[in-house]
Amino acid sequence: MTRALLALSGAALAAALSFNHAVARDDGRYANSPLKGWFDSLKSGRGPCCSDADGLAVSDPDWDLQGTHYRVRLDGEWIVVPDDAVITEPNRAGRTMVWPIKGTLGTSIRCFMPGNLS
């Protein structure tokens, strides 16, 4: 019984440690930005995007439109952006941004805001 309980406890601990969730990292560096309120209000069909501190700017070679779907290259891997992750309001920042969530099953996209392809 004790051995089984230890094994179960170890498995539960391993599962808890491997679970990776998104944590907001707003460290205050954008506190005085005129776009802070706008970034904080951004949301997609997948929920709030958080803020500029949570998003990553993406260069033109690292995103494109393939057929009718956007895709973005993160860590050398192309990821198709789900339609409900696309922010449809005008891009006031002007640059392409993505809000990825990295977990045990890989990277998913919470929000994607396209810029203008050059």
Side-chain angles (χ1 to χ4, degrees), residues 14-93:
L17 291 175
S18 68
F19 181 74
N20 185 6
H21 60 282
V23 176
R25 346 178 261 283
D26 186 355
D27 59 8
R29 70 183 127 164
Y30 300 106
N32 296 321
S33 169
L35 294 178
K36 180 175 178 14
W38 176 73
F39 271 112
D40 288 343
S41 72
L42 287 176
K43 61 184 172 201
S44 71
R46 295 178 159 232
C49 301
C50 295
S51 69
D52 191 27
D54 295 316
L56 303 171
V58 181
S59 303
D60 283 353
D62 293 323
W63 74 282
D64 66 11
L65 187 61
Q66 187 176 45
T68 59
H69 299 283
Y70 290 105
R71 63 183 192 144
V72 62
R73 183 172 35 205
L74 297 172
D75 300 323
E77 176 186 352
W78 283 101
I79 301 169
V80 175
V81 175
D83 291 338
D84 63 346
V86 177
I87 298 171
T88 57
E89 70 177 83
N91 183 340
R92 293 175 54 189

